[in-house]
Amino acid sequence: MGYSRSSKNGGNHCKKSPPARQERQSIQKSSPTGKFKVVSMFSGCGGMDLGFKGGFSIFNKRYKNRPFEIIWANDLNQAACRSYKLNLKHEIKCGNVWDLVDTLPPSTDVVIGGFPCQDISINGKQAGVNGARSGLYRAMLFAIDKCQPRIFVAENVKGLLHKSNKESLDQVITDFKSLGYKVSFKLYNAALYGVPQARERIFIIGTKNHQFDFDPPKEICNATNWLTAEDAVRDLEEVPEHGVSNHVWSRANKSPEQGSRILKPNRPAQTMRAECHGNIQFHYRLNRRISMREAARFQSFPDSFIFDAKLRETERQIGNAVPPILAWHIAGSVYDFLTREITEKA
């Protein structure tokens, strides 16, 4: 794209990062391609799917291919579907999930999805999982029940852990367990996995084989060596608007309604939100709000990932996404679980 990023940490996501995971060889998988099959629910523009597939580069680091193949994906938002197809290079079923569940495959190895959270988020209506949007997690229940994956990964906002949402969390866990899965959950801070954003999200993991535990990926950063906002976008400071793809920003003024949050250069960015309405953060040094390319960097999307939408829809796609780097680490632990299960059964 003509611009390369330099980092004061020498291009590494964190100082003294652990060695790359050594993946086991000669593992039998259910797909003819030799990859584990994945069904993706509420796929959005494809952040979680990109992380599971791997094979992307950002911040001068290469995230190797993962042995996963997306065999079915769905989202309601047409702009998100356009971005997904453009970047993931395979089809996504665009439309109401309940109109498309009959097209789900009869089986899969993994089901992934970040079910809608507007009714759970602290910034949302807090109607819980019985709200009109968040209740869509039942479509994920349907997919798991039909496809019988060996493991599933469900992502949601930190607000699901809030005491006001205790009944909702209990209901979600109970419903997943009722399908015959061993269920655990953990709160992840993306900044501790090499993402330059202090984004906290809950991941709920269900495993069909109760004999083996799912081991979460180990954190690779801490407050002394994580990627900062300046690390992530310093090289874009002198790039004019439209100088690179999606490098465009909101002109919304500072105000109580539109927000006036300013990034700190020496810390990870604040959480990228989907429903900003102009409330996206201001640059740590420049007199403007951050661009969509910068927001995408904070979410760990590579510069080669192009959002096929105007500013408002791009903002929504970025804010709704699972950071690909975080998903890549989760995928590594999913792979470890699946291969351990196969190896110990042999």
Side-chain angles (χ1 to χ4, degrees):
M1 302 194 42
Y3 296 93
S4 61
R5 179 197 164 279
S6 60
S7 168
K8 66 183 181 184
N9 290 338
N12 293 326
H13 282 225
C14 311
K15 299 173 184 176
K16 298 182 181 179
S17 297
R21 185 190 307 270
Q22 296 297 312
E23 299 191 354
R24 300 177 180 88
Q25 301 298 317
S26 302
I27 298 298
Q28 291 184 350
K29 306 176 183 72
S30 60
S31 171
T33 65
K35 298 180 180 180
F36 290 111
K37 297 186 295 184
V38 179
V39 163
S40 172
M41 308 285 292
F42 313 111
S43 310
C45 65
M48 180 128 60
D49 299 39
L50 177 61
F52 265 73
K53 292 181 69 173
F56 62 93
S57 298
I58 186 171
F59 308 133
N60 295 329
K61 182 173 180 179
R62 178 71 177 173
Y63 287 86
K64 64 183 178 182
N65 290 308
R66 292 291 194 197
F68 294 101
E69 175 188 14
I70 313 295
I71 62 170
W72 191 95
N74 162 251
D75 201 82
L76 177 65
N77 185 286
Q78 292 188 2
C81 289
R82 290 198 306 270
S83 294
Y84 186 103
K85 287 191 286 188
L86 177 65
N87 294 281
L88 277 293
K89 308 301 182 186
H90 61 77
E91 285 302 310
I92 178 172
K93 295 182 182 298
C94 196
N96 187 313
V97 65
W98 289 116
D99 295 333
L100 295 164
V101 290
D102 287 343
T103 69
L104 280 162
S107 65
T108 191
D109 296 302
V110 188
V111 168
I112 62 175
F115 58 88
C117 59
Q118 286 85 343
D119 299 306
I120 296 172
S121 171
I122 296 299
N123 294 314
K125 300 175 182 178
Q126 290 190 268
V129 292
N130 291 316
R133 292 296 305 281
S134 300
L136 284 171
Y137 87 97
R138 293 183 178 87
M140 196 166 185
L141 289 171
F142 183 96
I144 293 168
D145 192 37
K146 178 177 180 179
C147 301
Q148 292 293 302
R150 290 145 70 182
I151 186 169
F152 70 80
V153 179
E155 180 261 2
N156 212 273
V157 292
K158 179 184 178 181
L160 190 57
L161 298 177
H162 193 271
K163 60 182 180 180
S164 64
N165 281 319
K166 184 179 184 305
E167 289 186 8
S168 291
L169 177 60
D170 289 346
Q171 181 180 334
V172 168
I173 299 300
T174 297
D175 288 347
F176 281 134
K177 284 182 176 179
S178 73
L179 300 177
Y181 287 80
K182 182 178 182 180
V183 180
S184 62
F185 62 88
K186 175 181 168 61
L187 185 68
Y188 290 79
N189 185 338
L192 302 180
Y193 292 89
V195 178
Q197 178 190 176
R199 185 185 190 88
E200 292 184 299
R201 290 293 185 267
I202 182 176
F203 281 80
I204 302 170
I205 310 294
T207 55
K208 196 171 185 180
N209 189 331
H210 292 205
Q211 182 180 350
F212 306 123
D213 291 328
F214 173 81
D215 294 324
K218 290 181 171 56
E219 297 171 354
I220 62 170
C221 305
N222 56 49
T224 67
N225 65 358
W226 53 22
L227 272 179
T228 68
E230 187 175 21
D231 288 334
V233 300
R234 182 194 304 118
D235 64 301
L236 292 176
E237 290 183 19
E238 303 302 321
V239 178
E241 190 171 18
H242 302 290
V244 293
S245 296
N246 300 121
H247 192 47
V248 57
W249 49 83
S250 168
R251 262 65 176 179
N253 295 321
K254 295 180 181 179
S255 71
E257 293 79 21
Q258 295 179 319
S260 57
R261 293 175 301 163
I262 301 174
L263 295 175
K264 297 185 186 317
N266 61 345
R267 294 183 61 82
Q270 299 147 330
T271 299
M272 298 294 109
R273 290 168 49 193
E275 303 300 329
C276 291
H277 303 300
N279 192 24
I280 198 165
Q281 297 93 324
F282 275 84
H283 196 278
Y284 55 83
R285 183 171 295 124
L286 304 176
N287 186 28
R288 62 167 174 79
R289 295 184 186 271
I290 61 172
S291 75
M292 294 300 96
R293 186 78 268 154
E294 290 163 334
R297 288 250 190 112
F298 293 138
Q299 277 280 58
S300 76
F301 281 99
D303 286 352
S304 59
F305 196 103
I306 307 303
F307 298 88
D308 187 10
K310 294 182 179 179
L311 189 149
R312 180 69 194 95
E313 278 294 340
T314 298
E315 185 178 72
R316 180 178 288 113
Q317 290 176 40
I318 293 172
N320 276 331
V322 175
I325 286 178
L326 177 56
W328 186 87
H329 285 286
I330 297 285
S333 288
V334 170
Y335 173 83
D336 281 351
F337 173 84
L338 291 170
T339 53
R340 179 189 174 200
E341 181 189 45
I342 293 172
T343 301
E344 296 193 18
K345 275 185 176 180

